[in-house]
Amino acid sequence: VNGIFSVDEFACDNGLEIINKDGIKKVTAKLLSGQEASIFLDEGIIQRGEGCFVRASSADDADLYISTDRQRAVQSKAVLKLYLKKYCAGIGCKKETPLEQIEDFVRQNLPPEILGELFCIGTIDLKARERGLVAFSHSIHAQLRVYSARQLEAVQGASSSSEFVKSVTGVDNVCERGALCAAGEGAVLVRNKIAGGGVTVAVAQRRSEIFWS
């Protein structure tokens, strides 16, 4: 906002769960006053681009702490604590598949430990306005990311292929490729394509990295 770092936007773009929302005002106020704010990242988190924070010596001393361990983030004394979620789901569905059908299928086939770690859903741009899919992404607080058939086709690592799906969408697999696209460079499939009732789902685990816009 007005050139000042937005915690909400940063968290949404990077698949970060805000552990303590009360810390947002404190960090934002510090930045607005012109003071330096500090950040601490767990080992293994890669940064892309340049942020507006200086490096803290420890998580407990940081204004902003980003962790790959939710419990560690909760227990830290940082002013604002963010947890880096691990997974992206790729979902395909028949036209006008209702929310309840998508939700039931996904919940039946993905364990809670993965469902709770989903930060985005990847699919083909043909499904950008698919009501059931859009509603499902909102219901689990996951960003819906859509890609063209060409973008999906360029992704490496998909394990299954369907000529029928390709004849309809222009790409041989929507869910696996959607998951890998959404999870970004270095992602790996951890749940291959599961299909049923007009819905397909797959899950990719992303690399631990954050991007500064």
Side-chain angles (χ1 to χ4, degrees):
V1 180
N2 296 325
I4 297 296
F5 171 73
S6 168
V7 174
D8 288 314
E9 289 182 11
F10 177 71
C12 181
D13 291 344
N14 285 281
L16 301 167
E17 176 186 338
I18 302 172
I19 301 296
N20 61 322
K21 289 185 179 294
D22 60 303
I24 296 176
K25 288 185 178 180
K26 296 175 183 177
V27 171
T28 301
K30 192 169 189 178
L31 292 171
L32 284 170
S33 70
Q35 299 179 67
E36 282 190 334
S38 62
I39 187 173
F40 189 84
L41 308 177
D42 274 354
E43 185 176 354
I45 298 179
I46 302 166
Q47 290 191 82
R48 305 292 185 190
E50 294 294 329
C52 57
F53 293 80
V54 297
R55 184 62 63 107
S57 58
S58 70
D60 287 343
D61 295 326
D63 292 301
L64 175 62
Y65 173 39
I66 302 176
S67 178
T68 54
D69 185 298
R70 183 183 278 109
Q71 192 59 35
R72 186 160 60 233
V74 169
Q75 293 175 348
S76 80
K77 297 177 182 177
V79 177
L80 176 60
K81 313 163 193 181
L82 304 181
Y83 168 64
L84 191 146
K85 290 188 172 184
K86 296 180 177 68
Y87 304 116
C88 288
I91 298 179
C93 62
K94 290 183 178 179
K95 187 177 180 179
E96 297 182 356
T97 303
L99 163 63
E100 296 76 18
Q101 194 168 325
I102 295 172
E103 186 171 44
D104 288 348
F105 182 77
V106 172
R107 293 190 182 281
Q108 286 168 12
N109 287 282
L110 297 184
E113 58 268 26
I114 286 183
L115 273 173
E117 293 277 351
L118 291 179
F119 71 91
C120 69
I121 293 171
T123 192
I124 194 164
D125 53 9
L126 298 172
K127 299 297 177 183
R129 297 179 182 275
E130 191 70 48
R131 292 182 183 178
L133 186 54
V134 171
F136 177 67
S137 68
H138 288 164
S139 74
I140 63 170
H141 307 290
Q143 192 178 52
L144 183 63
R145 299 178 178 178
V146 299
Y147 304 92
S148 68
R150 182 174 293 182
Q151 287 175 302
L152 294 176
E153 195 171 32
V155 171
Q156 302 296 313
S159 67
S160 64
S161 176
S162 166
E163 285 302 317
F164 174 74
V165 171
K166 188 170 185 177
S167 72
V168 174
T169 66
V171 67
D172 63 357
N173 183 307
V174 170
C175 65
E176 290 183 352
R177 293 183 183 279
L180 289 165
C181 253
E185 185 180 350
V188 294
L189 281 178
V190 293
R191 286 288 191 281
N192 293 347
K193 176 182 176 180
I194 307 167
V199 181
T200 60
V201 64
V203 179
Q205 182 171 348
R206 63 147 160 191
R207 191 159 58 183
S208 295
E209 60 185 354
I210 57 171
F211 294 86
W212 300 96
S213 57

